[in-house]
Amino acid sequence: MNTYPTSSQATGVARTLSKRTPCTIVVYQTSEREFVTARSNDRVSGLIQGVYRDGYLLPPAHRVELPGR
């Protein structure tokens, strides 16, 4: 898990990581100025902003329930 001050920074990292590694990356917000990128098997504690796989944002219908939610 990594923390970023803006949603756009976290989203950029999530797109890149999900494109380069065979995993799903979640971006979630923990406070007004803190956004976190995490693997889908990490505990999520905040408002999910997006779920990325293969460099793309997954639509809500294709998301699965994540552990820790």
Side-chain angles (χ1 to χ4, degrees):
M1 287 190 265
N2 294 307
T3 304
Y4 302 91
T6 68
S7 176
S8 62
Q9 286 176 321
T11 297
V13 170
R15 287 182 185 275
T16 301
L17 286 175
S18 70
K19 194 183 295 185
R20 292 184 181 170
T21 60
C23 65
T24 302
I25 303 294
V26 178
V27 174
Y28 64 96
Q29 184 175 5
T30 59
S31 69
E32 186 177 322
R33 295 181 185 225
E34 188 172 81
F35 297 85
V36 178
T37 57
R39 293 181 186 264
S40 60
N41 59 348
D42 291 340
R43 183 169 176 82
V44 172
S45 181
L47 178 64
I48 294 178
Q49 300 291 309
V51 179
Y52 296 85
R53 186 181 303 142
D54 298 325
Y56 296 98
L57 175 65
L58 294 180
H62 291 94
R63 296 179 189 176
V64 295
E65 188 67 24
L66 299 173
R69 276 194 49 193

